[in-house]
Amino acid sequence: MRCLVTGATGYVGGRLAPRLLARGHTVRCLARSARRLRDVPWAARVEVVEGDLRRPETLPAAFADVDVAYHLVHSLGQAGFEAADREAATNFARAARAAGVRRIVYLGGPEPAADTRPSPHLRSRSEVGRILLASGVPTAVLRAAVIIGSGSASFEMLRHLTERLPVMVTPRWVRNRIQPIAIRDVLHYLVAAVDLPPEVDRAFDVGGPDVLTFTEMMQRYAAVAGLRRRVVLPVRPLTPSLSSHWVGLVTPVPNRIARPLVESLVHEAVAREHDIARYVPDPPGGLTGFDDAVRLALARVRDAEVETRWSTASGPDAPAEPLPSDPQWSGGSVYTDLRSRRVAAPPDALWQVVEGVGGDHGWYSFPLAWSVRGWLDRLVGGVGLRRGRRHPHRLHVGEALDFWRVEEIVRGELLRLRAEMRLPGRAWLEMRVEPTDDGGSRYAQRAVFLPRGLAGHAYWAAVAPFHAVVFGGMARNIARGAEQVARAGADHP
């Protein structure tokens, strides 16, 4: 069948597309920018149509001749996300019906009990499901609670809370029951939904074989990871809001995403039925237990084989085009910091260092300054430095890299990063590798800042005195790092 995957740049969609291909389906991806999918391993095997679910005029080309359309887009963590998701779902439903799509598949969240007040996150997920079920197109809504898999936001929260806090004071909701599900089982159901009979038009609860409290999940994670049993002290005063701030400080997940996830954990999330089994058999060997799901996820992290991460998706306010070369584009001032170094190493050694920046490798200058900047960003609701990187050595367009996003990469030549920290303006960091006639290379570094208003100009004036230390040191140390890589290669041919 021809399958349309929206949200292919996100965590679930980025894993679903190659699995649909593996089953022999034709896959079309809808993305605001086709460049975001340029470097994924399966890019050459899919059709990419540029469009936006909030711009209905861009949708007919994406939905044309589609058999099954997957709705995997959400605006979690952004201001006004309920209205944005409502609009996107309405446009999706109308476009699918107009194009004669035969089935819609939506991955939503658990349905809260009727006698509870749902969190905005769960309320929005339920609303989107209802909009799609009312579309007139046969729809399968899969309602999953906590998804356990390498790179998922829920798994990163669980992992970092458990690993970093041997003793923790927790809110009472850690005693609520949850039915987590492994990402491999979510994908099993999503792929199989292609073959659901046309009369199936309903929601299904999907969950793994274990029902646990969040406390039990942390204790069992600790056991699988080889950690000592954690001491958990539930207390009454910790509200979901306060809890989300704590999660934002301790884990890589920023507060704007942690808050709706934590608020959702206030509700018990246990599957009320397993009717999906009437149409889709369980995976061979059965559904994945919690311990096995954690074990598989940790192995992926350890082996640097994380396919997608929660941070892969970027918000709708991200610019669709890379940094222009003409400063007049900004309509005003453009501040730049330029650095250049001759490097006694071949270009491939220098590129190895450039593509490896960030994450565990750091930023090659004044670690305290980078850490402080990351903490300040977290305090004002930004992403901070803890997002790290998906792979220790390889990057592709659209990936998150600490508080940057990879906006362009030309292997061996150019890496351009767009800042996603909270700033009164827009900023980029560009690193280039240029060969020299003597077999060495030149490292060229450019930081660009487009200020927004007086605050933007004041910000640049405040940080400019530190650039010689931060950016100057970065250029020097990257050059030295490349020379060390070249020497190591010469010693071990």
Side-chain angles (χ1 to χ4, degrees):
M1 296 199 185
R2 183 181 299 277
C3 301
L4 173 67
V5 178
T6 65
T9 60
Y11 177 72
V12 175
R15 299 188 181 209
L16 175 63
R19 285 161 177 79
L20 290 171
L21 290 169
R23 292 292 183 92
H25 301 298
T26 300
V27 176
R28 178 184 294 159
C29 298
L30 176 69
R32 288 192 299 271
S33 172
R35 295 176 59 258
R36 291 287 312 279
L37 292 171
R38 186 191 69 190
D39 297 330
V40 296
W42 38 269
R45 301 165 58 201
V46 301
E47 177 190 0
V48 181
V49 175
E50 290 195 341
D52 188 335
L53 290 181
R54 298 184 67 184
R55 295 172 54 209
E57 71 277 7
T58 67
L59 301 183
F63 282 82
D65 302 319
V66 164
D67 298 302
V68 180
Y70 288 89
H71 189 292
L72 302 174
V73 172
H74 62 80
S75 305
L76 183 66
Q78 299 161 25
F81 73 88
E82 288 187 85
D85 285 350
R86 182 183 309 119
E87 180 183 4
T90 301
N91 292 337
F92 184 102
R94 289 173 178 169
R97 182 171 183 176
V101 171
R102 293 196 289 177
R103 171 158 303 284
I104 291 172
V105 182
Y106 170 59
L107 178 61
E111 188 75 15
D115 58 348
T116 62
R117 182 178 179 182
S119 69
H121 173 216
L122 293 184
R123 184 172 63 217
S124 176
R125 289 297 181 95
S126 296
E127 181 183 25
V128 169
R130 290 193 299 271
I131 291 171
L132 298 178
L133 286 166
S135 65
V137 178
T139 298
V141 174
L142 305 180
R143 299 189 297 215
V146 171
I147 296 178
I148 301 297
S150 59
S152 77
S154 297
F155 177 72
E156 291 297 301
M157 282 175 49
L158 174 69
R159 173 189 171 200
H160 284 81
L161 284 171
T162 308
E163 290 184 352
R164 294 180 176 179
L165 299 175
V167 178
M168 61 189 90
V169 176
T170 61
R172 289 179 299 167
W173 53 255
V174 298
R175 297 173 176 172
N176 291 346
R177 296 184 307 153
I178 303 166
Q179 191 166 351
I181 183 170
I183 182 62
R184 57 166 48 192
D185 294 339
V186 172
L187 294 168
H188 168 78
Y189 289 127
L190 287 171
V191 171
V194 166
D195 299 316
L196 289 173
E199 65 271 17
V200 174
D201 186 26
R202 55 163 291 184
F204 296 95
D205 289 345
V206 293
D210 300 311
V211 176
L212 307 165
T213 67
F214 200 83
T215 299
E216 290 170 335
M217 289 169 61
M218 288 189 290
Q219 299 293 14
R220 287 174 66 162
Y221 176 95
V224 172
L227 305 173
R228 292 183 179 179
R229 184 174 177 82
R230 273 29 201 163
V231 178
V232 181
L233 305 172
V235 297
R236 185 180 297 272
L238 275 179
T239 64
S241 179
L242 289 174
S243 301
S244 65
H245 283 289
W246 180 243
V247 170
L249 287 173
V250 175
T251 79
V253 182
N255 181 58
R256 60 184 174 80
I257 294 177
R259 180 165 184 165
L261 292 178
V262 167
E263 288 174 343
S264 300
L265 293 173
V266 172
H267 309 280
E268 291 208 334
V270 178
R272 300 184 179 96
E273 41 82 9
H274 189 51
D275 295 350
I276 190 69
R278 300 177 191 170
Y279 308 97
V280 180
D282 289 346
L287 293 167
T288 309
F290 177 81
D291 291 358
D292 286 337
V294 169
R295 195 172 290 111
L296 289 166
L298 288 176
R300 290 283 189 178
V301 172
R302 181 186 63 243
D303 298 337
E305 294 180 352
V306 179
E307 284 184 70
T308 57
R309 297 182 70 221
W310 64 270
S311 57
T312 304
S314 60
D317 56 343
E321 297 299 327
L323 172 67
S325 58
D326 182 5
Q328 294 304 315
W329 171 86
S330 69
S333 302
V334 177
Y335 294 110
T336 60
D337 181 277
L338 303 175
R339 309 280 168 175
S340 179
R341 302 280 300 186
R342 286 291 299 269
V343 184
D348 59 340
L350 177 55
W351 178 253
Q352 181 178 330
V353 176
V354 168
E355 193 174 7
V357 297
D360 292 339
H361 296 154
W363 292 90
Y364 289 90
S365 72
F366 204 179
L368 178 60
W370 287 93
S371 297
V372 169
R373 184 64 183 88
W375 276 104
L376 290 175
D377 193 54
R378 300 283 283 199
L379 289 174
V380 296
V383 295
L385 279 174
R386 288 213 194 95
R387 291 191 302 184
R389 48 183 295 153
R390 180 187 61 85
H391 190 279
H393 309 298
R394 298 283 287 180
L395 296 172
H396 62 67
V397 168
E399 282 196 314
L401 177 60
D402 291 334
F403 49 37
W404 305 90
R405 176 97 37 195
V406 180
E407 190 161 81
E408 183 58 279
I409 183 168
V410 180
R411 301 217 177 273
E413 299 179 20
L414 168 69
L415 175 62
R416 181 184 295 130
L417 308 174
R418 171 171 47 83
E420 291 194 334
M421 71 281 283
R422 294 294 181 93
L423 289 169
R426 293 165 61 187
W428 289 262
L429 178 61
E430 190 175 84
M431 291 169 273
R432 289 184 179 272
V433 174
E434 302 167 355
T436 56
D437 294 337
D438 59 1
S441 54
R442 178 177 295 277
Y443 173 68
Q445 178 180 293
R446 177 170 68 149
V448 179
F449 182 65
L450 309 182
R452 183 176 61 246
L454 181 61
H457 293 277
Y459 172 82
W460 182 265
V463 301
F466 301 100
H467 285 174
V469 176
V470 175
F471 289 132
M474 183 177 180
R476 288 192 303 272
N477 292 327
I478 284 179
R480 290 172 184 164
E483 291 165 356
Q484 292 172 357
V485 168
R487 286 195 297 270
D491 293 338
H492 300 88

